[in-house]
Each structure stands twice: as structure tokens, then as C-alpha cells.
């Protein structure tokens, strides 16, 4: 590899620092390849996420409440009654 070419045939010179203008051109080219979601897709996804988060939060707090209720019921049942 003394010729300055890698195993894939790429020049090593391209892997150095890129000037700011070239960098911005590369960024613009990459951003133009992005397929952005439509407004409808974004709204639909946001609603779906809100519904799922509400459902999961409800199940979480229901579970925590059930566990605490069971622990308190066990503690109340085992504690000696005052005389």
C-alpha cells in the first residue's frame, strides 16, 4: 500500500480534513436524501404515542397501588390489636 491507495481502492487523501464549504455541501446533499414524514403521519404517531403512554402509566400506577395496598393489608392484619 505504498501507493497511497487502500485495499478498497480508495485514495487516502480523501480522509483528511475537509474545508468548511465542502463540509456544508456534503451536509446539504445528505439532508436532501432524508424522507421527512408528512404532517398526517406526524400527528398520527403523536396521538398513538400519547395513547400508549397514558395506558402504560395507568397500568404502572395500578400495579404500584395494588402492591402498596397488599403490603398495608398484610401489615394491618399482622399487627397486634391495641388493648
Amino acid at each position: 500500500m505504498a501507493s497511497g491507495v487502500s485495499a478498497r481502492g480508495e485514495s487516502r487523501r480523501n480522509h483528511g480534513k475537509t474545508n468548511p464549504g465542502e463540509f456544508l455541501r456534503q451536509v446539504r446533499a445528505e439532508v436532501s436524501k432524508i424522507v421527512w414524514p408528512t404532517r398526517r403521519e406526524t400527528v398520527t404517531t403523536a396521538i398513538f404515542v400519547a395513547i400508549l403512554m397514558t395506558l402504560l402509566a395507568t397500568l404502572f400506577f395500578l400495579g404500584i397501588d395494588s402492591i402498596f395496598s397488599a403490603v398495608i393489608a398484610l401489615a394491618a392484619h399482622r399487627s397486634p390489636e391495641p388493648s
Side-chain angles (χ1 to χ4, degrees), residues 47-63:
I47 291 170
F48 182 72
V49 167
I51 290 169
L52 278 180
M53 289 303 300
T54 302
L55 179 65
L56 289 174
T58 301
L59 291 174
F60 173 77
F61 287 115
L62 176 67

Side-chain angles (χ1 to χ4, degrees), residues 21-50:
E22 179 64 23
F23 175 75
L24 290 176
R25 280 190 290 277
Q26 291 173 359
V27 168
R28 184 173 291 160
E30 291 300 319
V31 168
S32 70
K33 296 177 187 177
I34 297 173
V35 178
W36 297 99
T38 63
R39 181 175 181 86
R40 184 175 182 177
E41 290 172 332
T42 304
V43 169
T44 302
T45 303
I47 291 170
F48 182 72
V49 167

Side-chain angles (χ1 to χ4, degrees), residues 67-78:
I67 290 170
F68 284 148
S69 296
V71 168
I72 290 172
L74 281 173
H77 180 66
R78 291 186 180 194

Side-chain angles (χ1 to χ4, degrees), residues 76-83:
H77 180 66
R78 291 186 180 194
S79 65
E81 294 185 21
S83 43

